[in-house]
Amino acid sequence: MTAVVTGLGALTPLGPDAESLHRGLLAATSGVGLLEGGEFDALPTRLAATVARENVEGRLERTAARTVERVQHLALIAAREAWEQAKAQDVTDPARVAVVLGTAVGGIAALPGQTLLVEEHGPRRVSPYLMSALMPNASAASVALHLGVHGGARTTASACASGAEAVAFALELLETGQADVVIAGGAESCVHPMTLAGFAQLRALSRRVDEPASASRPFDTARDGFVLGEGAAVLVLERPEHAAARGAEVLGRVLGAGITSDAHHLIAPDPEGAQAARSIGLALRAAGLTPADIGHVSSHGTATPAGDLAEARALNRALGGERPPVTAVKSCTGHLLGASGAVEAVAALLALRDGVVAPIRNLDDPDPGADLDLVTGRPRPVGRGAALSTSFGFGGHNVSLVLAR
């Protein structure tokens, strides 16, 4: 069954909403900068793509903003944008509205500061909101709470594939009749010395601190790792008959999803991309499409040396002789971990809406090992009506989505 999309929301390093994400990608704008503060001085990299303060502050009621962790704050803003665009609040049974939000690490950024408070001042200084901040399900629960919906609040936690898996799970809930509407997406905010140090120890991060805007370089020969980012993106998905009955504007469709696991390594992808390719095949089969129907690919494209090549092999294996244009959102936004798959799905739907796919920023010298039709220089027209969005996460999680106008 096809699910229709009636609302889109995003809060990213490129701006406060979904349209600013779309405009920023088409203009190949960089959201990457250098972190300020002494706590970052000893790190091998201070690169990050963060959401501007003015795009967060004042967008929630004071009590809500004070009692939720930043990742929940971002999720709520994106969810409200999507929900308001969908205009479903007055004509939808709240018991038939579910929430599925993905995250890789949830509110872990709250823990180090609270640990320091315990060490310096004792346990009575710990915030009463610490446990709700740490719960991985807190973003989904907060969205359900603030929007007043009762169809279940679920959380996907499949590393960097979490946001895409949330959309796939939403499709399943609609197909099986468990919900009429699902608020689905992902949120992440863990730009902290601890997480930066951990990723740096894995040699996963770019260290191009002298030129931040050029640091995120998916598929480029000079790529040296990803740039950690933060943000949120949310889609409102509905059963087609439900959307039609209430006269909702349809912004796009989710046609199919495919989920597999590499069972190869906890950190490294399978270099041959076999199971990643199978996730693409499953998504196409569920959508009732062939590789020839795909007009463009919104790639995972992290800019890690091994990851980009594994993805390129997976795409070529799954798409055969077809060579749709490939873009990479993370060249502009950085890597939003558990939010990235949802961000890229929103970007793909907006690209389909306007019939144009954004170029890959910083792609000056394409890696010959990534034998793909990579979009460079300027936006390119999209001729076909379907898009493929791929997401791959630590632990070997592979999720592919097929989207359409």
Side-chain angles (χ1 to χ4, degrees), residues 365-394:
D365 183 19
D367 188 331
D371 184 21
L372 301 168
D373 182 10
L374 301 165
V375 181
T376 62
R378 61 183 62 187
R380 191 188 302 182
V382 178
R384 299 169 187 167
L388 172 68
S389 184
T390 53
S391 296
F392 311 118
F394 278 6

Side-chain angles (χ1 to χ4, degrees), residues 54-68:
E54 62 268 22
N55 292 335
V56 179
E57 293 181 349
R59 298 184 67 183
L60 291 181
E61 296 82 358
R62 183 176 300 178
T63 300
R66 183 174 59 85
T67 58
V68 299

Side-chain angles (χ1 to χ4, degrees), residues 18 65 75 95 109 163 187 215 275 301 314 327 356 359 390:
Q275 294 304 316
T327 189
V356 61
T390 53

Side-chain angles (χ1 to χ4, degrees), residues 11 15 23 28 40-42 49 66 97 104-105 123 130 142 165 174 185 214 238 261 266 283 287 318 381:
L11 180 58
R23 291 192 302 270
F40 301 107
D41 288 346
R66 183 174 59 85
V97 181
V105 297
L130 174 60
S142 293
E165 189 166 349
L174 296 170
S214 301
E238 299 190 43
S261 54
L266 276 178

